[in-house]
Amino acid sequence: MNKDRASSSKGNVNLNKFQPYKLAFEKDSKTLREEALKAVPEEERLREDAYKIAVKSASAKEHVYPYIPISTNWISPIEGKYMHLSSEEVMNFYLKNFTDPFLYPKDFLYYQEILTYTGSVQFDSTIRSGGEWAFSKAYIIKVITPEQWEGDLYRFKEIVPDTKYPHRNKLYFNYFDYIKAWDIALCYENRQRKHSWFLQFKELKTLNFPQWFICWFANWGLYPIILPHKIRLIYEDFVKTNVSMKAHGLMFTALYQIPWIIRWDVVVSKRTFQKLGESLENIPYVGRRILIKWWDKFEFFKDSVFSVRGIIDLEPITPTKSKSKKEISEVLKELLSSASKKDLKNQIKELLESSDDEDEEMMSQNTEHSDPMQDAQDPYQ
């Protein structure tokens, strides 16, 4: 009785937490853990939970890489009376076929068209019987920065009518639609709730990523927690080699053209909002949970840029400063070895007078270039 209750309780906890996935408790869990990445302590629990919900392999000998929940994009608050519904029922009620209800009637196809039209992403989807997508690929070719955008960021550009939109005459978008496209273009889901995306950087000509794209990658991109142990060590060497670099995960993924797999599901959770010490607690929210995993068909040491270039060093070479003037200690040593006491006194006197003149000149320049508004009062204080 107690045994049944314990097993039932354990199953209920996992099912509620990871509802869209089947429980697949692997027999050889020790092997899975050993082949996994070397996680830091705060990642251990997340990784252990992820392996419990790993999609079961068709072959018992095949290593299974799990989907790991990496981030959640919260979409909308929901009424408390709908909290008892399953995640899928909440999605059907609030989202239906729209990836984001606040963007209707624009759908994921509209945003995919933006990325295709700008030459930013190449999409390729495999269609199963019934016309739905089984899985899709997205190759990232370029990311347009605000400086590279032609014209006003708010001004709309026209997309030539496409066969995907036979009922529409024209499509328009601006730079902010372009930013939004990177999120919404990946929000397709089929009826089986099994659609996945294969993502990879390809043919990038520049690594100048705008800040909003760095944020996008933090939500949707590869994270070191999914890297197999040997590749995790390469990543750590890359970080040590490029200490001052920002967004190491993004740069590592882009430079080595490492593919990763993502999927998403819908979760309902209570959130707390605070403002000036007051808080609104337990507000039910519906959100899109993003899960990523390693692609086990990718041979990093054979198929990636690493096999040709090894550890890539992008740290700028610091130029050595040329000494325009000798240090005083060096000058004194030369004077002591080559001059009489009388000459030495005269030369030291000239050296000190020259130093005083330079100090006065620097003080004069600082006064001339001082900020004329530095003493002005802030009108908003």
Side-chain angles (χ1 to χ4, degrees), residues 4 8 18 20 30 76 98 122 138 171 243 269 276 323 354 357:
D4 293 338
S8 175
F18 306 106
K30 181 178 179 181
S76 173
F98 314 125
Q122 292 180 357
L171 294 177
V243 177
S269 179
L276 299 177
K323 295 183 179 180
S354 174
D357 293 340

Side-chain angles (χ1 to χ4, degrees), residues 111 115 118 120-121 139-144 177-187 199 201 212-213 216 220:
Y111 289 101
L115 297 180
T118 57
S120 301
V121 180
Y139 296 102
I140 302 173
I141 309 300
K142 69 177 180 180
V143 181
I144 303 175
D177 291 319
Y178 175 78
I179 295 175
K180 194 67 178 178
W182 289 86
D183 279 316
I184 306 304
L186 301 178
C187 289
L199 283 87
F201 288 92
W212 61 261
F213 186 80
W216 174 87
W220 296 90

Side-chain angles (χ1 to χ4, degrees), residues 298-317:
F298 180 66
E299 298 290 342
F300 177 83
F301 296 96
K302 178 181 177 182
D303 300 335
S304 74
V305 179
F306 178 80
S307 60
V308 178
R309 299 184 60 181
I311 299 297
I312 300 175
D313 184 2
L314 296 180
E315 291 288 351
I317 300 176

